[in-house]
């Protein structure tokens, strides 16, 4: 009943892009539109949280894994910063809490986020993004009273203090109190920030948790942590077998015991751009490795007679992602097929999916993403404007999409070479240019996988 009551409040209180906050909603969600809260429901100081550099004293390996990750750069990411600034400019001050709730939860619960010289800043520990003491002071999820009944928009409770929570039932520390938390081993923990819904319409702008929830991975009990908090090779094997390893030995603390199973903290996803820009080649390379193991291609060529039509059939399968491929902000993600056919003299007789001089993908390319529109039906890449997807061409876990191409078979060729690439970019060059202007980096095209056929013509 309580969940339905708050859902009704959300639906009744907001219209258009208005984010006026009703007192009853404010009481339950004090940092609304973020669903984040504290144990007391009150604002706290960032001084209540430990710096990751303190945690490093006993957890150096975990600290070094985390440092340079997208979690460590969640606040400092220049593309996010620019998008956040644009959101606040166009949609109003409520966007500070909505975006900050996940990218700097510490800055949000302390209400210490401000703008200086055109950039968001906060306390030093708040600028560490998704940091050690943030995650390990989360005490519960509030998904049961979210508007959708799913984790979303930072729907968790932060309880800063001496108690640190984690996956071990027998953990002991001379520096802090330790408490077992089953939540830290479940996807619902991650889903709080990896499900983002529009606070007015509750449209699923980012739907990563939900994509997992209704997948074969969830059915087999494989959680987000089992793929994103293990080495890439282990994640790939887990996805292929749908079985997680019984052991993954490691020592989480240099003053603690060796564990049969230790989660790593690189949190590797598909963003190889920002990690590199922020100075971590290691995390960038790991992201590329994840992408290069995510999908497979199957290519067939049905040859017609010379001078007649032939058909190329390409099947793209999501092999190892426990969510859709691509996921997250799918309205800006670019995963596409690049198909090139050449004859025995090297002449290109067919091309689809190349880049133009400005770095834009050929509009005729088969693109695997979502097409978002605003309330007037116009295309938009601004999350706060999205009211629906006109289509969603992402590939579900263990699912596939088949694409067919028709070409005119040359009369004078003896053989053809068919080259098919599956490419990826976190966002288009045009989006980077929009947000960062002259300072925009060139967004690299990452080759996920490739298949080549040599076809003899009769």
């Amino acid at each position: 009943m309580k969940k339905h009551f708050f859902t009704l409040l959300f639906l009744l209180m907001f219209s258009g892009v208005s984010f006026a906050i009703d007192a009853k909603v404010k009481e339950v969600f004090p940092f609304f539109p973020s669903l984040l809260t504290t144990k007391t429901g009150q604002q706290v100081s960032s001084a209540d949280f430990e710096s990751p550099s303190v945690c490093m004293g006993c957890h150096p390996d975990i600290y070094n894994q985390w440092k340079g990750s997208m979690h460590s750069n969640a606040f400092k990411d220049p593309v996010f910063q620019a998008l956040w600034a644009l959101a606040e400019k166009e949609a109003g001050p409520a966007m500070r809490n909505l975006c900050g709730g996940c990218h700097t939860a510490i800055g949000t619960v302390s209400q210490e986020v401000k703008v200086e010289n055109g950039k968001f800043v906060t306390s030093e520990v708040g600028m560490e993004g998704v940091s050690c003491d943030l995650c390990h002071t989360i005490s519960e999820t509030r998904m049961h009273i979210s508007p959708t009944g799913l984790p979303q928009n930072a729907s968790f409770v932060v309880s800063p203090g001496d108690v640190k929570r984690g996956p071990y039932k027998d953990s002991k520390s001379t520096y802090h109190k330790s408490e077992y938390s089953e939540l830290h081993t479940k996807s619902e923990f991650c889903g709080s920030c990896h499900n983002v819904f529009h606070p007015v319409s509750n449209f699923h702008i980012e739907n990563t948790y939900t994509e997992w929830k209704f997948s074969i991975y969830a059915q087999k009990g494989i959680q987000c942590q089992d793929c994103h908090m293990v080495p890439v090779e282990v994640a790939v094997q887990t996805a292929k077998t749908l079985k997680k390893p019984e052991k993954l030995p490691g020592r989480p603390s240099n003053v603690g015991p060796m564990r049969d199973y230790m989660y790593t903290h690189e949190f590797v996803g598909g963003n190889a751009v920002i990690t590199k820009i922020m100075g971590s080649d290691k995390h960038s390379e790991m992201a590329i490795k994840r992408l290069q193991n995510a999908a497979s291609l199957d290519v067939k060529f049905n040859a017609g007679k010379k001078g007649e039509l032939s058909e190329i059939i390409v099947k793209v399968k999501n092999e190892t992602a426990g969510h859709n491929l691509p996921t997250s902000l799918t309205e800006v993600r670019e995963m596409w097929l690049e198909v090139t056919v050449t004859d025995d003299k090297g002449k290109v007789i067919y091309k689809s999916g190349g880049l133009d001089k400005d770095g834009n993908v050929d509009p005729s390319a088969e693109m695997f993403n979502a097409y978002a529109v605003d309330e007037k039906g116009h295309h938009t890449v601004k999350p706060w404007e999205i009211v629906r997807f006109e289509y969603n061409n992402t590939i579900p876990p263990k699912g596939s999409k088949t694409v067919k191409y028709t070409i005119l078979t040359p009369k004078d060729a003896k053989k053809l070479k068919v080259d098919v690439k599956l490419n990826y970019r976190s966002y288009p060059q045009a989006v980077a240019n929009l947000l960062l202007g002259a300072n925009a980096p060139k967004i690299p095209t990452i080759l996920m996988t490739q298949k080549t056929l040599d076809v003899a013509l009769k």
Side-chain angles (χ1 to χ4, degrees):
M1 174 66 78
K2 185 180 285 188
K3 184 188 82 172
H4 295 300
F5 171 70
F6 290 118
T7 301
L8 182 61
L9 276 178
F10 273 77
L11 294 175
L12 292 178
M13 300 301 172
F14 309 111
S15 62
V17 292
S18 171
F19 290 96
I21 303 172
D22 179 84
K24 290 184 179 180
V25 173
K26 182 74 173 178
E27 181 181 343
V28 180
F29 301 111
F31 307 103
F32 188 82
S34 172
L35 306 190
L36 172 68
T37 192
T38 62
K39 186 176 182 179
T40 63
Q42 301 297 315
Q43 181 178 325
V44 297
S45 170
S46 63
D48 294 332
F49 294 88
E50 295 277 17
S51 166
S53 61
V54 173
C55 307
M56 178 179 64
C58 291
H59 306 279
D61 290 344
I62 286 177
Y63 173 87
N64 289 327
Q65 292 165 1
W66 166 84
K67 190 67 175 176
S69 69
M70 284 305 299
H71 277 187
S72 72
N73 287 308
F75 181 82
K76 301 171 186 175
D77 173 354
V79 174
F80 162 70
Q81 278 268 344
L83 186 64
W84 194 9
L86 185 61
E88 185 159 315
K89 178 182 178 181
E90 294 190 358
M95 301 304 289
R96 189 166 301 189
N97 280 352
L98 180 62
C99 302
C102 283
H103 286 261
T104 176
I106 293 175
T108 302
V109 295
S110 65
Q111 291 292 279
E112 294 173 0
V113 179
K114 55 186 177 179
V115 177
E116 289 183 358
N117 299 320
K119 289 188 64 176
F120 289 99
V121 297
T122 187
S123 62
E124 187 174 341
V125 67
M127 291 179 70
E128 298 284 4
V130 183
S131 59
C132 317
D133 208 31
L134 168 66
C135 286
H136 291 282
T137 56
I138 291 175
S139 55
E140 61 181 293
T141 174
R142 305 182 85 212
M143 59 182 282
H144 58 288
I145 60 168
S146 78
T148 63
L150 296 167
Q152 67 181 84
N153 300 11
S155 55
F156 54 81
V157 179
V158 181
S159 302
D162 192 42
V163 178
K164 313 303 175 188
R165 299 164 181 86
Y168 301 118
K169 295 181 179 180
D170 61 346
S171 179
K172 295 179 181 179
S173 170
T174 57
Y175 183 73
H176 58 74
K177 294 178 182 178
S178 299
E179 185 177 287
Y180 170 67
S181 169
E182 184 181 18
L183 177 61
H184 280 68
T185 69
K186 300 296 185 182
S187 295
E188 286 66 30
F189 185 89
C190 310
S192 287
C193 281
H194 291 278
N195 250 16
V196 178
F197 290 69
H198 195 289
V200 175
S201 66
N202 283 310
F203 181 78
H204 53 273
I205 297 168
E206 296 186 45
N207 213 28
T208 304
Y209 167 84
T210 312
E211 292 164 1
W212 165 85
K213 180 66 176 175
F214 299 103
S215 74
I216 186 68
Y217 291 81
Q219 294 170 25
K220 296 292 185 180
I222 297 171
Q223 309 293 324
C224 303
Q225 294 88 333
D226 298 323
C227 287
H228 291 280
M229 294 186 71
V230 297
V232 174
E233 298 81 6
V234 175
V236 170
Q237 188 64 18
T238 296
K240 286 184 175 179
T241 63
L242 292 175
K243 292 181 180 179
K244 51 188 176 183
E246 294 181 3
K247 289 190 175 184
L248 195 62
R251 200 176 181 201
S253 169
N254 59 9
V255 294
M258 178 68 73
R259 297 291 186 177
D260 287 339
Y261 202 100
M262 187 188 100
Y263 291 106
T264 58
H265 286 65
E266 287 97 353
F267 306 103
V268 183
N271 197 326
V273 179
I274 296 302
T275 45
K276 190 173 184 65
I277 289 174
M278 301 302 288
S280 180
D281 289 345
K282 177 185 77 170
H283 286 88
S284 179
E285 290 165 3
M286 293 173 74
I288 292 172
K289 193 172 184 179
R290 285 300 302 260
L291 289 167
Q292 290 176 337
N293 284 278
S296 65
L297 290 175
D298 181 65
V299 182
K300 296 180 180 178
F301 189 90
N302 294 331
K305 295 180 180 179
K306 292 183 179 183
E308 298 182 1
L309 299 179
S310 291
E311 185 178 55
I312 304 168
I313 303 173
V314 181
K315 180 179 179 181
V316 185
K317 184 176 180 182
N318 178 349
E319 295 283 2
T320 67
H323 44 67
N324 286 22
L325 195 63
T327 191
S328 189
L329 290 170
T330 49
E331 70 276 7
V332 297
R333 299 285 180 254
E334 290 187 312
M335 188 177 87
W336 76 97
L337 288 171
E338 181 180 354
V339 179
T340 307
V341 183
T342 53
D343 64 16
D344 44 345
K345 296 178 182 178
K347 179 183 177 182
V348 176
I349 64 167
Y350 181 84
K351 177 75 174 180
S352 173
L355 300 180
D356 66 18
K357 61 181 179 60
D358 297 318
N360 299 311
V361 181
D362 172 5
S364 70
E366 184 67 24
M367 184 72 72
F368 303 97
N369 65 358
Y371 188 86
V373 296
D374 62 19
E375 60 183 0
K376 294 182 179 179
H378 300 149
H379 177 243
T380 183
V381 294
K382 299 175 181 178
W384 56 94
E385 291 183 345
I386 297 174
V387 298
R388 69 180 188 277
F389 291 155
E390 285 205 347
Y391 64 79
N392 186 332
N393 197 37
T394 58
I395 306 175
K398 298 298 181 184
S400 65
K401 294 284 178 76
T402 299
V403 184
K404 297 181 179 180
Y405 300 85
T406 301
I407 67 169
L408 182 63
T409 314
K411 293 181 178 180
D412 56 351
K414 295 181 179 179
K415 59 182 181 179
L416 298 177
K417 182 177 182 180
V418 181
D419 183 66
V420 181
K421 298 176 181 177
L422 183 64
N423 295 324
Y424 180 84
R425 293 195 302 192
S426 294
Y427 29 78
Q429 187 64 50
V431 170
N433 296 344
L434 170 70
L435 295 174
L436 299 179
N439 296 320
K442 182 178 179 181
I443 306 303
T445 297
I446 296 170
L447 177 61
M448 295 177 66
T449 187
Q450 183 176 12
K451 198 75 176 283
T452 301
L453 292 183
D454 289 313
V455 180
L457 299 177
K458 297 180 180 179

